[in-house]
């Protein structure tokens, strides 16, 4: 399969600080990316997506940045809250394909 | 709540047995995807069904099979179970045939333990 990896397997941040979670992807033909949040005992929950014709997309407290030159994706969470503690996955879809490739995830812990 | 439902939540069985996992997609979604999540491998795509037909295949073992019924619910059948099949099995759904046009929404998963 394709390689979608995260730079940091764990991340701890202080409540109120901003968090940045990074993801590297390997296939330059990937044209759609999703960030998912998975809380303990639950399924992955859609956070935000971005298509390859964009380099930035903002949601509520979250921003995804896409750098196609270096095949890098990041998720920024503003004013991190305890409820943000979870594992975050990036997933890529290669143009023309139905399959998403997921990274192994980054565990975010928010310290109150 | 994503709107995707899965049953059962937990399943404990023995090696060599066969189990069936069930998934109902979000209302109106035509595609169903099955994923396996184990501790050491992350989320692995198994198979996709779109409107009753197999659409894409990933790392699905020959001992595993799936189908999608006319009412669009799907079942994943796991047979000749081995200890290594213990994992979380997720179902996801999307509106049409999938790919770069569509977000996949995940169900809560079925936790399978093979003893």
């Amino acid at each position: 399969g394709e390689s979608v990896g995260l730079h940091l397997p764990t991340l701890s941040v202080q409540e109120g600080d901003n968090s940045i979670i990074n993801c590297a992807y390997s296939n330059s033909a990937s044209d759609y990316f999703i960030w998912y949040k998975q809380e303990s005992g639950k399924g992955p929950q859609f956070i935000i997506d971005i298509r390859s014709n964009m380099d930035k997309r903002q949601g509520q407290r979250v921003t995804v940045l896409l750098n196609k030159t270096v095949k890098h994706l990041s998720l920024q969470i503003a004013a991190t809250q305890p409820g943000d503690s979870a594992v975050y996955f990036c997933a890529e879809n290669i143009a023309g394909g139905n399959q998403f490739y997921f990274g192994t995830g980054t565990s975010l812990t928010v310290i109150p | 709540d994503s709107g995707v439902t899965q049953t059962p939540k937990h399943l404990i069985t023995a090696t060599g047995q066969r189990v069936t996992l069930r998934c109902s997609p979000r209302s109106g979604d035509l595609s169903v995807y099955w994923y396996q999540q184990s501790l050491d491998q992350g989320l692995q795509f198994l198979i996709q069904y779109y409107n009753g037909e197999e659409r894409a295949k990933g790392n699905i073992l020959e001992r595993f099979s799936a189908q999608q019924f006319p009412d669009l619910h799907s079942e994943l059948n796991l047979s000749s179970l081995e200890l290594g099949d213990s994992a979380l099995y997720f179902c996801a759904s999307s509106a049409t045939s999938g790919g770069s046009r569509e977000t996949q929404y995940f169900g809560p998963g079925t936790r399978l333990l093979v003893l």
Side-chain angles (χ1 to χ4, degrees), chain A residues 29-69:
Chain A
S30 294
D31 69 347
Y32 181 49
F33 305 86
I34 300 178
W35 278 102
Y36 285 95
K37 171 187 179 183
Q38 186 175 19
E39 296 174 274
S40 181
K42 297 184 179 180
Q45 175 189 357
F46 171 87
I47 301 174
I48 192 167
D49 61 356
I50 189 167
R51 302 194 191 284
S52 59
N53 61 351
M54 304 172 70
D55 52 21
K56 180 179 180 178
R57 188 153 191 238
Q58 287 185 291
Q60 189 177 13
R61 284 200 307 117
V62 294
T63 301
V64 55
L65 299 177
L66 175 62
N67 185 330
K68 293 182 287 294
T69 302

Short mmCIF file of all heavy atoms in Angstrom, two decimals, chain A residues 29-69:
data_model
loop_
_atom_site.label_atom_id
_atom_site.label_comp_id
_atom_site.label_asym_id
_atom_site.label_seq_id
_atom_site.Cartn_x
_atom_site.Cartn_y
_atom_site.Cartn_z
N ALA A 29 0.25 11.66 -6.70
CA ALA A 29 -1.05 11.62 -7.39
C ALA A 29 -2.23 11.73 -6.42
O ALA A 29 -3.38 11.78 -6.86
CB ALA A 29 -1.17 10.32 -8.18
N SER A 30 -1.96 11.78 -5.13
CA SER A 30 -3.04 11.94 -4.16
C SER A 30 -3.66 13.32 -4.31
O SER A 30 -2.94 14.33 -4.40
CB SER A 30 -2.52 11.77 -2.74
OG SER A 30 -2.10 10.43 -2.55
N ASP A 31 -4.99 13.36 -4.35
CA ASP A 31 -5.63 14.66 -4.60
C ASP A 31 -6.70 15.02 -3.58
O ASP A 31 -7.38 16.03 -3.73
CB ASP A 31 -6.20 14.71 -6.02
CG ASP A 31 -7.39 13.79 -6.20
OD1 ASP A 31 -7.63 12.93 -5.33
OD2 ASP A 31 -8.08 13.94 -7.22
N TYR A 32 -6.85 14.18 -2.57
CA TYR A 32 -7.87 14.48 -1.55
C TYR A 32 -7.37 13.93 -0.24
O TYR A 32 -6.90 12.78 -0.16
CB TYR A 32 -9.19 13.83 -1.95
CG TYR A 32 -10.35 14.08 -1.00
CD1 TYR A 32 -10.66 15.35 -0.56
CD2 TYR A 32 -11.15 13.02 -0.59
CE1 TYR A 32 -11.73 15.57 0.30
CE2 TYR A 32 -12.22 13.23 0.26
CZ TYR A 32 -12.51 14.50 0.71
OH TYR A 32 -13.57 14.73 1.55
N PHE A 33 -7.49 14.74 0.81
CA PHE A 33 -6.95 14.39 2.11
C PHE A 33 -7.98 14.70 3.19
O PHE A 33 -8.70 15.69 3.11
CB PHE A 33 -5.67 15.19 2.39
CG PHE A 33 -4.62 15.05 1.33
CD1 PHE A 33 -4.65 15.88 0.22
CD2 PHE A 33 -3.63 14.10 1.43
CE1 PHE A 33 -3.70 15.76 -0.78
CE2 PHE A 33 -2.67 13.97 0.44
CZ PHE A 33 -2.71 14.80 -0.67
N ILE A 34 -8.01 13.82 4.18
CA ILE A 34 -8.94 14.01 5.30
C ILE A 34 -8.16 13.85 6.60
O ILE A 34 -7.30 12.97 6.72
CB ILE A 34 -10.08 12.98 5.27
CG1 ILE A 34 -10.90 13.10 3.97
CG2 ILE A 34 -11.01 13.18 6.47
CD1 ILE A 34 -12.01 12.05 3.87
N TRP A 35 -8.53 14.65 7.57
CA TRP A 35 -8.07 14.45 8.94
C TRP A 35 -9.23 13.87 9.75
O TRP A 35 -10.36 14.39 9.70
CB TRP A 35 -7.61 15.76 9.58
CG TRP A 35 -6.22 16.14 9.23
CD1 TRP A 35 -5.83 17.09 8.31
CD2 TRP A 35 -5.01 15.62 9.79
NE1 TRP A 35 -4.47 17.17 8.26
CE2 TRP A 35 -3.93 16.29 9.15
CE3 TRP A 35 -4.72 14.66 10.75
CZ2 TRP A 35 -2.59 16.01 9.46
CZ3 TRP A 35 -3.39 14.39 11.06
CH2 TRP A 35 -2.35 15.06 10.42
N TYR A 36 -8.92 12.80 10.47
CA TYR A 36 -9.90 12.18 11.35
C TYR A 36 -9.40 12.24 12.80
O TYR A 36 -8.20 12.18 13.06
CB TYR A 36 -10.09 10.70 10.99
CG TYR A 36 -10.89 10.44 9.75
CD1 TYR A 36 -10.27 10.25 8.52
CD2 TYR A 36 -12.28 10.37 9.80
CE1 TYR A 36 -11.01 9.99 7.38
CE2 TYR A 36 -13.03 10.10 8.66
CZ TYR A 36 -12.38 9.92 7.45
OH TYR A 36 -13.12 9.66 6.33
N LYS A 37 -10.36 12.31 13.71
CA LYS A 37 -10.07 12.25 15.14
C LYS A 37 -10.71 10.99 15.68
O LYS A 37 -11.88 10.71 15.39
CB LYS A 37 -10.69 13.47 15.81
CG LYS A 37 -10.68 13.46 17.33
CD LYS A 37 -11.48 14.65 17.88
CE LYS A 37 -11.51 14.66 19.40
NZ LYS A 37 -12.35 15.77 19.92
N GLN A 38 -9.94 10.22 16.44
CA GLN A 38 -10.50 9.01 17.03
C GLN A 38 -10.30 9.04 18.54
O GLN A 38 -9.18 8.98 19.03
CB GLN A 38 -9.86 7.75 16.43
CG GLN A 38 -10.52 6.47 16.91
CD GLN A 38 -9.97 5.23 16.24
OE1 GLN A 38 -8.88 5.24 15.68
NE2 GLN A 38 -10.73 4.15 16.28
N GLU A 39 -11.42 9.11 19.24
CA GLU A 39 -11.39 9.05 20.70
C GLU A 39 -11.43 7.58 21.12
O GLU A 39 -11.88 6.72 20.36
CB GLU A 39 -12.56 9.82 21.28
CG GLU A 39 -12.49 11.31 20.97
CD GLU A 39 -13.72 12.07 21.42
OE1 GLU A 39 -14.69 12.12 20.64
OE2 GLU A 39 -13.71 12.59 22.54
N SER A 40 -10.98 7.35 22.32
CA SER A 40 -10.90 5.98 22.82
C SER A 40 -12.26 5.29 22.76
O SER A 40 -13.25 5.82 23.25
CB SER A 40 -10.39 6.02 24.26
OG SER A 40 -10.27 4.71 24.77
N GLY A 41 -12.28 4.13 22.13
CA GLY A 41 -13.50 3.34 22.07
C GLY A 41 -14.50 3.78 21.01
O GLY A 41 -15.62 3.25 20.95
N LYS A 42 -14.10 4.73 20.18
CA LYS A 42 -15.01 5.24 19.15
C LYS A 42 -14.40 5.10 17.77
O LYS A 42 -13.21 4.86 17.61
CB LYS A 42 -15.36 6.70 19.43
CG LYS A 42 -16.10 6.92 20.74
CD LYS A 42 -16.49 8.38 20.88
CE LYS A 42 -17.26 8.61 22.16
NZ LYS A 42 -17.64 10.04 22.32
N GLY A 43 -15.24 5.27 16.77
CA GLY A 43 -14.75 5.26 15.41
C GLY A 43 -14.15 6.59 15.01
O GLY A 43 -14.39 7.60 15.66
N PRO A 44 -13.35 6.60 13.94
CA PRO A 44 -12.78 7.86 13.46
C PRO A 44 -13.87 8.85 13.09
O PRO A 44 -14.86 8.49 12.47
CB PRO A 44 -11.99 7.43 12.22
CG PRO A 44 -11.68 5.98 12.45
CD PRO A 44 -12.88 5.45 13.17
N GLN A 45 -13.66 10.08 13.48
CA GLN A 45 -14.63 11.14 13.24
C GLN A 45 -14.03 12.16 12.29
O GLN A 45 -12.93 12.65 12.52
CB GLN A 45 -14.99 11.79 14.58
CG GLN A 45 -15.90 12.99 14.50
CD GLN A 45 -16.01 13.71 15.83
OE1 GLN A 45 -15.46 13.28 16.84
NE2 GLN A 45 -16.72 14.82 15.84
N PHE A 46 -14.73 12.49 11.24
CA PHE A 46 -14.26 13.47 10.26
C PHE A 46 -14.06 14.83 10.93
O PHE A 46 -14.90 15.31 11.68
CB PHE A 46 -15.31 13.59 9.14
CG PHE A 46 -15.05 14.72 8.18
CD1 PHE A 46 -14.24 14.52 7.09
CD2 PHE A 46 -15.63 15.97 8.37
CE1 PHE A 46 -14.01 15.55 6.19
CE2 PHE A 46 -15.41 17.00 7.49
CZ PHE A 46 -14.60 16.78 6.39
N ILE A 47 -12.89 15.44 10.66
CA ILE A 47 -12.63 16.78 11.18
C ILE A 47 -12.67 17.79 10.06
O ILE A 47 -13.42 18.76 10.09
CB ILE A 47 -11.25 16.86 11.86
CG1 ILE A 47 -11.13 15.86 13.00
CG2 ILE A 47 -11.00 18.27 12.38
CD1 ILE A 47 -9.74 15.81 13.58
N ILE A 48 -11.83 17.57 9.06
CA ILE A 48 -11.69 18.53 7.99
C ILE A 48 -11.04 17.85 6.80
O ILE A 48 -10.29 16.88 6.97
CB ILE A 48 -10.86 19.76 8.44
CG1 ILE A 48 -10.98 20.91 7.42
CG2 ILE A 48 -9.42 19.40 8.73
CD1 ILE A 48 -10.45 22.25 7.96
N ASP A 49 -11.34 18.34 5.62
CA ASP A 49 -10.72 17.78 4.42
C ASP A 49 -10.14 18.89 3.56
O ASP A 49 -10.40 20.07 3.78
CB ASP A 49 -11.73 16.94 3.62
CG ASP A 49 -12.93 17.75 3.13
OD1 ASP A 49 -13.04 18.96 3.46
OD2 ASP A 49 -13.78 17.16 2.43
N ILE A 50 -9.34 18.47 2.61
CA ILE A 50 -8.76 19.45 1.69
C ILE A 50 -8.46 18.75 0.37
O ILE A 50 -8.03 17.59 0.35
CB ILE A 50 -7.49 20.11 2.29
CG1 ILE A 50 -7.03 21.29 1.41
CG2 ILE A 50 -6.36 19.08 2.47
CD1 ILE A 50 -5.99 22.17 2.09
N ARG A 51 -8.72 19.45 -0.70
CA ARG A 51 -8.42 18.90 -2.02
C ARG A 51 -7.09 19.49 -2.50
O ARG A 51 -6.67 20.54 -2.04
CB ARG A 51 -9.55 19.21 -2.99
CG ARG A 51 -10.87 18.66 -2.51
CD ARG A 51 -11.96 18.63 -3.54
NE ARG A 51 -13.24 18.33 -2.95
CZ ARG A 51 -13.63 17.12 -2.56
NH1 ARG A 51 -12.83 16.10 -2.70
NH2 ARG A 51 -14.81 16.94 -2.02
N SER A 52 -6.50 18.84 -3.46
CA SER A 52 -5.15 19.21 -3.86
C SER A 52 -5.07 20.54 -4.59
O SER A 52 -3.98 21.07 -4.80
CB SER A 52 -4.53 18.12 -4.74
OG SER A 52 -5.32 17.90 -5.89
N ASN A 53 -6.21 21.10 -4.96
CA ASN A 53 -6.19 22.41 -5.62
C ASN A 53 -6.19 23.56 -4.60
O ASN A 53 -6.26 24.73 -4.97
CB ASN A 53 -7.35 22.56 -6.59
CG ASN A 53 -8.70 22.46 -5.91
OD1 ASN A 53 -8.77 22.10 -4.73
ND2 ASN A 53 -9.77 22.74 -6.63
N MET A 54 -6.10 23.20 -3.33
CA MET A 54 -6.05 24.19 -2.26
C MET A 54 -4.78 23.96 -1.45
O MET A 54 -4.24 22.85 -1.42
CB MET A 54 -7.25 24.04 -1.34
CG MET A 54 -8.59 24.13 -2.05
SD MET A 54 -9.96 23.72 -0.96
CE MET A 54 -9.94 25.14 0.13
N ASP A 55 -4.32 25.00 -0.76
CA ASP A 55 -3.19 24.79 0.15
C ASP A 55 -3.56 25.08 1.60
O ASP A 55 -2.76 24.83 2.52
CB ASP A 55 -1.96 25.61 -0.27
CG ASP A 55 -2.29 27.07 -0.46
OD1 ASP A 55 -3.31 27.54 0.09
OD2 ASP A 55 -1.52 27.76 -1.16
N LYS A 56 -4.76 25.56 1.81
CA LYS A 56 -5.19 25.85 3.18
C LYS A 56 -6.71 25.78 3.25
O LYS A 56 -7.40 26.21 2.31
CB LYS A 56 -4.71 27.25 3.58
CG LYS A 56 -5.08 27.67 4.98
CD LYS A 56 -4.53 29.06 5.28
CE LYS A 56 -4.88 29.53 6.68
NZ LYS A 56 -4.31 30.86 6.97
N ARG A 57 -7.18 25.27 4.35
CA ARG A 57 -8.62 25.24 4.57
C ARG A 57 -8.86 25.39 6.06
O ARG A 57 -8.18 24.75 6.87
CB ARG A 57 -9.22 23.95 4.05
CG ARG A 57 -10.73 23.95 4.06
CD ARG A 57 -11.30 23.04 3.00
NE ARG A 57 -12.73 23.27 2.89
CZ ARG A 57 -13.64 22.34 3.05
NH1 ARG A 57 -13.28 21.11 3.33
NH2 ARG A 57 -14.92 22.63 2.93
N GLN A 58 -9.84 26.19 6.41
CA GLN A 58 -10.10 26.44 7.82
C GLN A 58 -11.47 25.96 8.21
O GLN A 58 -12.44 26.07 7.46
CB GLN A 58 -9.98 27.94 8.12
CG GLN A 58 -8.55 28.43 8.11
CD GLN A 58 -8.42 29.89 8.50
OE1 GLN A 58 -8.84 30.76 7.76
NE2 GLN A 58 -7.85 30.14 9.66
N GLY A 59 -11.53 25.42 9.44
CA GLY A 59 -12.80 25.04 10.02
C GLY A 59 -12.93 25.74 11.35
O GLY A 59 -12.26 26.73 11.62
N GLN A 60 -13.77 25.17 12.18
CA GLN A 60 -13.92 25.75 13.51
C GLN A 60 -12.76 25.32 14.38
O GLN A 60 -12.61 24.16 14.71
CB GLN A 60 -15.23 25.27 14.13
CG GLN A 60 -15.59 25.98 15.42
CD GLN A 60 -16.93 25.53 15.96
OE1 GLN A 60 -17.48 24.53 15.52
NE2 GLN A 60 -17.45 26.25 16.91
N ARG A 61 -11.87 26.21 14.71
CA ARG A 61 -10.67 25.99 15.52
C ARG A 61 -9.62 25.10 14.84
O ARG A 61 -8.59 24.81 15.41
CB ARG A 61 -10.98 25.39 16.91
CG ARG A 61 -11.54 26.34 17.92
CD ARG A 61 -11.37 25.82 19.35
NE ARG A 61 -11.89 24.47 19.54
CZ ARG A 61 -11.14 23.43 19.89
NH1 ARG A 61 -9.84 23.54 20.05
NH2 ARG A 61 -11.71 22.25 20.06
N VAL A 62 -9.90 24.62 13.66
CA VAL A 62 -8.92 23.78 12.97
C VAL A 62 -8.58 24.35 11.61
O VAL A 62 -9.42 24.96 10.96
CB VAL A 62 -9.41 22.32 12.81
CG1 VAL A 62 -9.55 21.63 14.15
CG2 VAL A 62 -10.73 22.27 12.05
N THR A 63 -7.33 24.14 11.24
CA THR A 63 -6.84 24.56 9.93
C THR A 63 -6.00 23.43 9.37
O THR A 63 -5.17 22.85 10.10
CB THR A 63 -5.96 25.82 10.04
OG1 THR A 63 -6.72 26.88 10.62
CG2 THR A 63 -5.46 26.26 8.67
N VAL A 64 -6.21 23.11 8.12
CA VAL A 64 -5.36 22.12 7.45
C VAL A 64 -4.53 22.85 6.40
O VAL A 64 -5.05 23.69 5.67
CB VAL A 64 -6.19 20.96 6.85
CG1 VAL A 64 -7.26 21.46 5.90
CG2 VAL A 64 -5.29 19.96 6.17
N LEU A 65 -3.26 22.54 6.38
CA LEU A 65 -2.34 23.09 5.41
C LEU A 65 -1.80 21.96 4.55
O LEU A 65 -1.44 20.90 5.07
CB LEU A 65 -1.18 23.81 6.10
CG LEU A 65 -1.56 24.99 6.99
CD1 LEU A 65 -0.31 25.55 7.67
CD2 LEU A 65 -2.25 26.09 6.20
N LEU A 66 -1.74 22.19 3.26
CA LEU A 66 -1.24 21.20 2.33
C LEU A 66 -0.07 21.78 1.55
O LEU A 66 -0.21 22.82 0.91
CB LEU A 66 -2.35 20.76 1.37
CG LEU A 66 -1.97 19.81 0.26
CD1 LEU A 66 -1.47 18.48 0.80
CD2 LEU A 66 -3.16 19.59 -0.68
N ASN A 67 1.05 21.11 1.60
CA ASN A 67 2.22 21.52 0.82
C ASN A 67 2.54 20.39 -0.15
O ASN A 67 3.14 19.38 0.22
CB ASN A 67 3.41 21.79 1.75
CG ASN A 67 4.62 22.33 0.99
OD1 ASN A 67 4.83 22.02 -0.18
ND2 ASN A 67 5.41 23.14 1.65
N LYS A 68 2.10 20.57 -1.39
CA LYS A 68 2.25 19.49 -2.37
C LYS A 68 3.70 19.34 -2.82
O LYS A 68 4.09 18.26 -3.25
CB LYS A 68 1.34 19.77 -3.57
CG LYS A 68 -0.14 19.70 -3.21
CD LYS A 68 -1.02 19.92 -4.40
CE LYS A 68 -1.05 21.37 -4.86
NZ LYS A 68 -1.68 22.26 -3.86
N THR A 69 4.45 20.40 -2.69
CA THR A 69 5.84 20.35 -3.13
C THR A 69 6.63 19.31 -2.33
O THR A 69 7.42 18.55 -2.88
CB THR A 69 6.51 21.72 -2.99
OG1 THR A 69 5.76 22.67 -3.75
CG2 THR A 69 7.94 21.69 -3.49
#
